Amino acid sequence: MELAIDIIKQQQLSREQYFEHLYGSAFPKVAAFVSKMNGSFDDAKDIFQDALVIFFEKIEEGKVVINTSEEAYVLGIAKHLWVRKYKQDQRLVSFDRVESGIEIPADEVPDVNTLRLLRVLETAGKKCMQLLRAVYYEKISIKNVTNRLRYRNEHTVSVQKYKCLEKVRDTVKSKSMTYEQFLN
Amino acid sequence: MSNSLTDIRRAERYVTGKMAEEDSLVFEARMLVDPTLRANVHFLQKTFALLKLYNRRKLKQEAEAIHQRLFNDPHKQDYRDHIFQLFKR
């Protein structure tokens, strides 16, 4: 089966174009499902966006073999998310064979301390988080990172990557200890 | 290169699975006897777990931007009508 992601990769289209494509093909399916479960438009939007993110992450990690269409796979993820989010009886949602085999990452719903830490990093460590995301998740070349995040040169970026890992790690360390003390 | 930079490079290679098996074993042996190194590696693993969540949030923001565009584009009226139709009760 020809998948949109392969076409996107061949033609070097952007992630944005891919998301837009899936918005067109998969959102109507997810919305129909959510509506059937008596959910609202906003529920559909939220569940669909989370499903899209998980789907994309699975593709990027190379962990998924899609033996159905992409929109069917996204719908499958959305169904699992629905059951998890509303703690609904799984039997009320009909899963086909492919859908029942889909796994949702365990860290999909982070705990309170993790969320608090994430907020700290998003504000105080923004530049480092951007750089590390670009390198490890968006897999952008050092050269392109240099241009995009306006670093002086490629060497700066290579060094900065490690400095950022150290900096974020130290924040995580000190904050984790504070929260743990707070709990005790 | 400073010592701390060498340490973080090594820990990064270990945590991201880029270290050769032999080196990993040596590294793990060092961790056993060095509590500071052990703690640093633990928090580096946590850092990568947080980065993953950060990446997800950013991706969701990108999806939201597309949502806003689609639901405000005059050319996408049919698409919108189709979706809204589903929620009419």
Side-chain angles (χ1 to χ4, degrees), chain A residues 15-16 19-20 23 35 39 45-46 49-50 57 61 107 122 133 136 162 166 173 176, chain B residues 4-5 12 40 46-47 52 54-58 60 62 64 66-67 69 79 86-87 89:
Chain A
R15 176 168 68 232
E16 189 185 350
F19 277 12
E20 203 167 323
Y23 237 104
S35 147
K45 170 177 140 171
D46 198 44
Q49 290 180 353
D50 285 337
E57 184 180 284
E61 288 175 347
D107 58 356
E122 272 174 339
R133 179 191 180 216
Y136 291 104
Y162 292 109
E166 251 184 334
K173 195 176 185 173
S176 300
Chain B
S4 96
L5 196 53
E12 186 253 10
N40 280 344
K46 210 164 167 179
T47 296
K52 189 173 192 170
Y54 174 77
N55 183 49
R56 277 190 202 144
R57 281 200 173 194
K58 290 289 157 189
K60 192 169 177 179
E62 290 173 17
E64 175 61 18
I66 291 165
H67 184 99
R69 211 168 56 225
Y79 174 81
L86 294 166
F87 295 96
R89 306 218 197 274

Side-chain angles (χ1 to χ4, degrees), chain A residues 40-166:
Chain A
S40 67
F41 172 75
D42 285 332
D43 292 333
K45 170 177 140 171
D46 198 44
I47 290 275
F48 171 71
Q49 290 180 353
D50 285 337
L52 185 65
V53 168
I54 291 172
F55 178 66
F56 189 70
E57 184 180 284
K58 280 173 179 279
I59 289 180
E60 289 288 289
E61 288 175 347
K63 273 186 190 162
V64 62
V65 182
I66 307 163
N67 38 19
T68 171
S69 69
E70 284 156 309
E71 51 267 32
Y73 203 93
V74 173
L75 175 63
I77 296 174
K79 285 183 176 181
H80 282 280
L81 289 179
W82 180 267
V83 170
R84 178 179 289 192
K85 188 167 180 181
Y86 297 101
K87 302 202 169 38
Q88 228 167 36
D89 192 338
Q90 196 144 351
R91 282 167 300 184
L92 295 176
V93 178
S94 61
F95 289 94
D96 67 25
R97 207 174 50 81
V98 173
E99 286 170 351
S100 9
I102 296 174
E103 277 176 38
I104 306 297
D107 58 356
E108 215 275 313
V109 187
D111 61 55
V112 183
N113 283 344
T114 307
L115 286 176
R116 198 180 300 160
L117 196 45
L118 199 54
R119 267 201 300 277
V120 172
L121 294 172
E122 272 174 339
T123 46
K126 195 175 164 203
K127 189 130 199 221
C128 271
M129 293 301 273
Q130 276 180 341
L131 171 64
L132 295 173
R133 179 191 180 216
V135 173
Y136 291 104
Y137 286 93
E138 298 182 274
K139 300 193 175 78
I140 300 174
S141 69
I142 295 288
K143 183 167 176 261
N144 288 337
V145 173
T146 311
N147 295 333
R148 200 169 91 168
L149 299 178
R150 303 215 177 103
Y151 282 99
R152 205 178 314 137
N153 54 47
E154 293 177 33
H155 177 72
T156 320
V157 175
S158 312
V159 175
Q160 196 57 32
K161 179 181 100 174
Y162 292 109
K163 287 199 170 159
C164 277
L165 276 179
E166 251 184 334

Side-chain angles (χ1 to χ4, degrees), chain B residues 7-24:
Chain B
D7 281 350
I8 191 83
R9 287 181 89 131
R10 214 171 270 154
E12 186 253 10
R13 288 173 54 73
Y14 176 75
V15 167
T16 56
K18 281 184 282 187
M19 197 179 251
E21 205 186 327
E22 215 181 288
D23 298 337
S24 291

